[in-house]
Amino acid sequence: MKRRTKQEWLNLFKQHQESGLSAAEFCRKHQLNAKYFSKRQFDLNWKQSSKTVNQSFVEVKRPEPKVSSSSIQLTVGPIQLNLPTTTDSHWLAGLLKALA
């Protein structure tokens, strides 16, 4: 295995980043051990220092549930039953099965 200086490793990491290849493909192409390549990246903090990280938080708001004025209308003979659209489907299926 060839010994490389820190600067040589940093140059390799930069070449890899610019190549658009996966780490495995880059290592095969340059006859490098992929596991050692990854270890050196970690040891030299390449991934952390090469990317600009935005440390700010973004507020995420949950959308307000839409109130639906529609309902499920079930008519059996003279009986009419209005259910909200939020009615549990399993419960409704059980009701229909019981009425059948």
Side-chain angles (χ1 to χ4, degrees):
M1 179 167 51
K2 179 182 174 183
R3 291 196 176 267
R4 291 180 172 83
T5 65
K6 179 180 178 178
Q7 190 56 49
E8 288 173 320
W9 279 109
L10 293 175
N11 289 338
L12 278 172
F13 302 147
K14 187 174 182 182
Q15 287 175 20
H16 167 240
Q17 189 177 34
E18 293 170 352
S19 73
L21 298 173
S22 70
E25 292 170 322
F26 182 83
C27 289
R28 267 194 301 278
K29 184 177 178 181
H30 293 277
Q31 298 176 347
L32 300 167
N33 180 305
K35 288 183 179 181
Y36 191 72
F37 181 81
S38 178
K39 179 186 181 328
R40 292 301 292 160
Q41 275 186 321
F42 180 80
D43 291 346
L44 297 173
N45 293 319
W46 169 257
K47 289 182 180 179
Q48 291 83 1
S49 64
S50 68
K51 297 178 182 175
T52 57
V53 178
N54 185 353
Q55 296 288 334
S56 63
F57 287 94
V58 176
E59 183 178 354
V60 177
K61 293 183 180 179
R62 174 182 254 172
E64 293 295 322
K66 294 181 182 177
V67 178
S68 175
S69 61
S70 64
S71 63
I72 300 169
Q73 185 176 24
L74 178 62
T75 306
V76 178
I79 300 170
Q80 189 175 42
L81 179 63
N82 287 314
L83 301 168
T85 56
T86 57
T87 302
D88 180 65
S89 59
H90 296 291
W91 180 87
L92 183 57
L95 176 64
L96 293 172
K97 186 175 180 181
L99 293 174

